Amino acid sequence: MNNRLDDLKTSGLKATLPRLKVLEVFQRTGERHLTAEDIYKILLADGADVGLATIYRVLMQFTEAGLLNRLHFEGGRAVFELNEGQHHDHMVCLRCGRVQEFFDPVLEQRQREIAAERGFQLQEHSLAMYGLCGSPDCRKP
């Protein structure tokens, strides 16, 4: 929590209770990709009195401050993840919505080559692959 609290202070955001609660959810949950509704349900189960509108506002503030990344996948759901400064790509299950991260240096190199071959100056990119995860507990949310 200390590192993220420092990040919060560095970003110029005050350490309010709702901000601290949202940060805590990202740090203690095993799930790296969360929707605003996921965070709301977790905080509700914890007995925290933080409304959904406040959670959305905090998520937007964290995204603008660079603490979180906002990702849009098929289906229109926005998910958020801690910005840890390391690039990775995503695989998204079309059935249950589970998001898995991966990094492949060969794939990264090939993407840079493709851009260069076409005279494109690549600044950044994101890759999302869609399919079925195959997890035994995979089901439609």
Side-chain angles (χ1 to χ4, degrees):
M1 180 85 153
N2 246 359
N3 275 347
R4 291 292 163 193
L5 188 53
D6 292 343
D7 290 345
L8 188 61
K9 290 176 183 176
T10 303
S11 71
L13 295 171
K14 292 181 182 177
T16 64
L17 186 60
R19 289 176 183 151
L20 293 173
K21 291 286 186 188
V22 170
L23 269 181
E24 181 185 334
V25 168
F26 276 99
Q27 292 179 317
R28 71 179 163 92
T29 183
E31 184 62 43
R32 291 195 27 86
H33 302 90
L34 299 167
T35 66
E37 292 80 9
D38 294 334
I39 295 166
Y40 178 71
K41 289 175 189 173
I42 291 168
L43 291 176
L44 199 60
D46 290 347
D49 186 23
V50 180
L52 188 56
T54 299
I55 292 169
Y56 275 108
R57 190 170 39 256
V58 167
L59 291 172
M60 292 303 105
Q61 292 167 344
F62 284 179
T63 301
E64 289 172 11
L67 297 174
L68 295 178
N69 293 323
R70 181 179 181 174
L71 307 164
H72 294 276
F73 298 122
E74 296 294 320
R77 290 184 343 147
V79 296
F80 298 85
E81 66 181 3
L82 287 174
N83 180 357
E84 296 177 333
Q86 296 178 342
H87 172 76
H88 57 270
D89 295 306
H90 299 91
M91 292 183 289
V92 182
C93 180
L94 292 170
R95 185 180 302 133
C96 69
R98 180 176 287 127
V99 179
Q100 297 178 42
E101 296 177 358
F102 72 95
F103 178 80
D104 184 313
V106 174
L107 185 56
E108 295 299 317
Q109 178 60 34
R110 186 64 188 124
Q111 289 174 102
R112 287 190 295 275
E113 290 169 359
I114 291 169
E117 288 168 4
R118 290 163 175 76
F120 192 76
Q121 294 181 354
L122 188 63
Q123 300 297 308
E124 60 181 83
H125 78 276
S126 66
L127 173 68
M129 300 188 321
Y130 299 91
L132 302 177
C133 70
S135 174
D137 62 341
C138 179
R139 62 190 179 286
K140 195 124 182 113

